Amino acid sequence: MTRSDTDLATVAVAEDAFVVHRTGSPLPDAQREAALAQPKFGTVFTDHMARATWTAGDGWHDRRVERYGPLQLDPAAAVLHYGQEIFEGLKAYRHDDGSVWTFRPWANAARFAASAYRIALPELPQEDFLGAITALVRTDAAWVPGGEEMSLYLRPFMYASERFLGVRPSLEAEFLVIASPVGPYFAGGVQPVSIWVAQDFHRAGAGGTGAAKFGGNYAGSLLPQQVAHAKGFDQVCFLDAATNSVLEELGGMNVFVVEADGRVSTPELTGSILEGVTRSSILRLLSDAGHEVAERRIPLDEVRAGLADGRVAEVFACGTAAVVTPIGRLAGDDFDLTVGDGTSGPVTTRIRAQLTDIQYGRAADPHGWMHRLI
Ligand SMILES: *Cc1c(COP(=O)(O)O)cnc(C)c1O
């Protein structure tokens, strides 16, 4: 995160710049309530979407909220050929008093701008990022669920829309925000996941796109993920491409290692790791709680030895969607290890509760991370 949340909170929010065109046919109340009662991640979307258009000549314009629906795309649109696309992910939380909040949205706005730079898409002003989210959530306020671990998942994204097959940055782009109600990631309580450490595939390399929230990084992680599933594992952990020996991250989550003496480490940002908002928040909260925390190089061999002799007590993954996910089993071509007793350890359980308590307004927000939308 380039600037602190407090600095960024002083940036004006341009929600008024987004002109709201309400749909005349929103989903009937009963159907919306039914969808909110049983949300399935990323399958149901709200009545509207926020949108802005960019052209090299006119810059960003046509900021609007309009009916959710299919996009019109020319078959020669650059994104369909060269994959010029970036995205973000954050949530809107309803607190017990009915107010609606997001968590560190300025960090997502800053990261979106950094991702745009790396993929040669136009930078979206951070106040437009916040303005789009604010306007959409206010328009679709009835879609923000209340209740235990329920939220409205927000998916900002941008793609190259110019009709041109030449290989150069697109001169036209579309920015959108869509929203999907989500329930607890783990229905029936937090479940540890099993991780396959990929030794034949990498998600990112030095000088590549790993630090950008770029759709192509995900496309490249799907085959390794499929291979791991076929072996009976839930997720993949990638190693660095240069030495194939140092932990990087999962396809969409950062990773932490907790030692029995309370020290906590996460892979340092080398340029090939995505800097998660959850990651940086956890580093802060653990350090506040008196843990010695380190962003460092974590060799797989060290984790294997530590799991075998008990020095490594817990391993967990983190990201906006699942918050904190305990890792119960770590395996690769020539090893298969249980982490602790295979369930969520105390540091993992506590940090997850601490973070969600702040997000849902059940605990004080000592760092000013929450931003009120409604
Ligand atoms: C989004 C993402 C994360 C987690 O980031 P958060 O800001 O915590 O949601 C981690 N790794 C990758 C590759 C990601 O795309």
Side-chain angles (χ1 to χ4, degrees), residues 22 35 65 76 80 95 103 107 115 123 131 134 139 172 183 191 204 214 259 273 313:
R22 275 186 184 272
V65 171
L80 298 178
H95 290 185
F103 181 75
S115 297
E123 198 174 296
T134 307
T139 306
E172 294 169 20
Q191 295 297 326
F214 161 53
E259 291 176 52
I273 292 173

Side-chain angles (χ1 to χ4, degrees), residues 1 87-90 108 111 203 210 212-214 217-218 249-254 273-280 318-321:
M1 312 302 125
F87 65 96
E88 267 304 324
L90 67 168
N108 296 90
R111 189 170 67 188
R203 73 172 281 282
K213 222 164 166 74
F214 161 53
N217 293 337
Y218 279 72
E249 60 168 316
L250 311 194
M253 284 194 270
N254 295 116
I273 292 173
L274 197 290
E275 184 179 2
V277 178
T278 319
R279 173 189 179 279
S280 85
C318 67
T320 296

Side-chain angles (χ1 to χ4, degrees), residues 299-322:
L300 174 63
D301 281 348
E302 177 194 312
V303 178
R304 287 176 58 175
L307 287 172
D309 69 16
R311 259 179 306 141
V312 171
E314 306 174 38
V315 183
F316 65 83
C318 67
T320 296

Side-chain angles (χ1 to χ4, degrees), residues 138-149:
R138 288 183 183 168
T139 306
D140 281 333
W143 283 90
V144 185
E148 189 77 6
E149 295 226 8

